[in-house]
Amino acid sequence: MTRLAPLALVILWSSGFVGATLAARSAPAETTLLWRYVVVVGPLCAWALWTRRRYDAGFLVREGVIGILAHGGYLLAVYRAADLGVLPGTSALVASLQPPLVAALLWIASSGSTDRRQALGLLTGLVGVLLVVGSGLSGAGGSVGLAVVGLGTLSLTAATLVAGRWPQPERHGVLDSLTVQAVVALGFFAALALATGRAAPPPDADFWLAVAWLVVLAFVGGYGTYFYVLRVSGPVVVSAWLYLTPATAAVWAWLMFGEPLTVRSAVGFLVAAAGVAAVVRPQRAVSPDLRVATPARACTSAVE
């Protein structure tokens, strides 16, 4: 699972950008996000009750903060950008600014201690992403849409750093985290949808198809693998894997919406993959600021 999780992360995380575009055809962001979490919270809470999970105050606070940042702030931005017409690949490009942001903030926190190979890999990955998307920054959605995605990227960056610097208790796994985060996100989006008068779902079968896509692929798959890889490999590595999501989102968009694929996109993917390989390659000694505490033990507990 440790080897397959990064590949699953790239595929499933990128599906979220496509799901946001699908949902934008039927309903505004607030409506889609509310019902996405209405659907997902029931089974997760039922699982928690069935297995008699117990969460202390510290765990609830940790996951609540991450839920607001990683689900509330990030998803609202991506879905609002889709409402404004920003294409999936373009959203993925802006979101790909997260890896250098994470690395830069950790570099500051560690008083300038960093790994040069990882820094070069992050730079190479960013170049690859720019090749993939090409002129997408001048496309639909405009500067407002791009700024919205940028704010969401900052929110996800903050969530990643909180999760990486505030280790999760080993007795709790990824499903425990997702359960608490989903409940918090549901409260956030319910308040937002009710305040804007957008809580009622549209009478459209395509809307529920989009919700099912977002629940199964983007939430359970995307967020599940994201937090698993984060626990096992740390914030820099999990962020670096996101460099491959713009190209993967472009393939999704080609399959779903008929958007063209180019040779430059393929070259960009290979360049980004080279950068990711440089970041994730094992090292003899890794600064504790770039890894989650006791990763070997976290690996076994994440799937309990």
Side-chain angles (χ1 to χ4, degrees):
M1 183 173 179
T2 302
R3 294 180 179 179
L4 293 177
L7 176 62
L9 167 64
V10 171
I11 296 172
L12 295 170
W13 190 267
S14 61
S15 74
F17 298 105
V18 177
T21 301
L22 282 173
R25 297 178 173 183
S26 303
E30 295 88 347
T31 307
T32 301
L33 289 167
L34 168 61
W35 288 97
R36 162 179 168 153
Y37 284 95
V38 167
V39 170
V40 81
V41 159
L44 285 176
C45 287
W47 167 82
L49 291 173
W50 178 263
T51 56
R52 299 182 180 181
R53 314 302 285 179
R54 295 291 184 270
Y55 306 132
D56 58 33
F59 180 76
L60 292 175
V61 171
R62 176 190 188 271
E63 301 304 330
V65 171
I66 294 172
I68 291 294
L69 294 171
H71 298 263
Y74 174 67
L75 290 180
L76 180 61
V78 170
Y79 284 58
R80 176 61 65 207
D83 287 348
L84 294 171
V86 177
L87 299 176
T90 305
S91 288
L93 166 62
V94 178
S96 293
L97 296 176
Q98 184 205 357
L101 277 174
V102 168
L105 291 173
L106 287 175
W107 179 77
I108 294 172
S110 62
S111 302
S113 176
T114 188
D115 183 88
R116 292 183 179 180
R117 177 177 52 79
Q118 283 194 330
L120 180 59
L122 291 170
L123 179 60
T124 303
L126 184 59
V127 171
V129 168
L130 292 172
L131 286 173
V132 169
V133 179
S135 61
L137 287 176
S138 61
S143 58
V144 174
L146 297 176
V148 169
V149 181
L151 291 174
T153 300
L154 291 175
S155 187
L156 181 61
T157 299
T160 302
L161 292 174
V162 168
R165 306 282 290 189
W166 188 352
Q168 182 177 1
E170 294 184 10
R171 64 182 179 278
H172 296 315
V174 172
L175 276 180
D176 295 300
S177 295
L178 291 181
T179 299
V180 178
Q181 292 170 20
V183 171
V184 172
L186 174 58
F188 176 85
F189 289 121
L192 184 63
L194 291 171
T196 57
R198 294 177 171 178
D204 187 347
D206 289 341
F207 171 77
W208 294 109
L209 176 62
V211 168
W213 175 290
L214 293 167
V215 167
V216 176
L217 296 180
F219 178 81
V220 177
Y223 275 96
T225 54
Y226 185 87
F227 285 108
Y228 176 80
V229 176
L230 174 62
R231 291 190 65 175
V232 172
S233 303
V236 172
V237 170
V238 74
S239 299
W241 282 109
L242 298 188
Y243 274 145
L244 301 182
T245 58
T248 311
V251 174
W252 277 112
W254 171 65
L255 293 172
M256 301 290 296
F257 311 126
E259 294 181 14
L261 290 174
T262 65
V263 174
R264 184 172 64 180
S265 295
V267 173
F269 178 83
L270 294 176
V271 173
V276 172
V279 174
V280 304
R281 191 178 68 188
Q283 304 175 82
R284 293 182 178 179
V286 181
S287 168
D289 289 320
L290 301 182
R291 300 276 300 203
V292 178
T294 60
R297 297 177 65 188
C299 177
T300 59
S301 66
V303 292
E304 65 181 9

